[in-house]
Amino acid sequence: MSAEEDFRQVGAELADLGVWISTMMGNPSLKDQAGKVFASLRRDGTMVFRLVRDTPEHAAALQLAGASLFDPSGRGRAMKDWVVVPHSSAGRWTDLAEAALSRPR
């Protein structure tokens, strides 16, 4: 499946939890019931998750091949709570999205 299809699958799997798909800054995003973004699909086919630093989920996500901290500016100013996970790890996206949803914002 494409990254877009995998993203939509994650959204469908979490819909019963009040998750809905929207856009933020032109990217498809997953929002919680309060309208807060906790995951987003990037144009390059990677997905970014708000996992909160110093949690087991955050550490595990960073161990995935090709994963990194999210640096939207590309200038070395990473958003330390957010982890970029490549499409090659799409099989983990639902679990990571559930973890991101469960963390307080």
Side-chain angles (χ1 to χ4, degrees):
M1 286 200 298
S2 71
E4 176 83 23
E5 291 168 324
D6 285 329
F7 170 81
R8 294 210 173 276
Q9 178 68 31
V10 172
E13 290 177 21
L14 300 181
D16 289 344
L17 300 174
V19 171
W20 47 290
I21 296 174
S22 185
T23 58
M24 184 171 135
M25 295 187 202
N27 292 321
S29 300
L30 297 178
K31 293 186 177 182
D32 63 16
Q33 291 177 325
K36 302 275 186 175
V37 172
F38 63 92
S40 185
L41 182 67
R42 300 176 65 215
R43 288 182 181 93
D44 64 2
T46 61
M47 197 156 161
V48 61
F49 301 91
R50 185 182 181 280
L51 293 170
V52 184
R53 71 186 111 180
D54 301 325
T55 62
E57 298 87 2
H58 187 272
L62 284 173
Q63 293 300 312
L64 296 171
S68 63
L69 291 176
F70 182 44
D71 180 7
S73 71
R75 295 183 181 156
R77 293 181 281 185
M79 298 175 70
K80 293 179 175 74
D81 286 338
W82 292 78
V83 179
V84 178
V85 178
H87 186 237
S88 60
S89 293
R92 302 284 311 277
W93 284 3
T94 299
D95 292 338
L96 293 169
E98 286 176 340
L101 177 63
S102 72
R103 293 291 173 193
R105 284 173 281 296

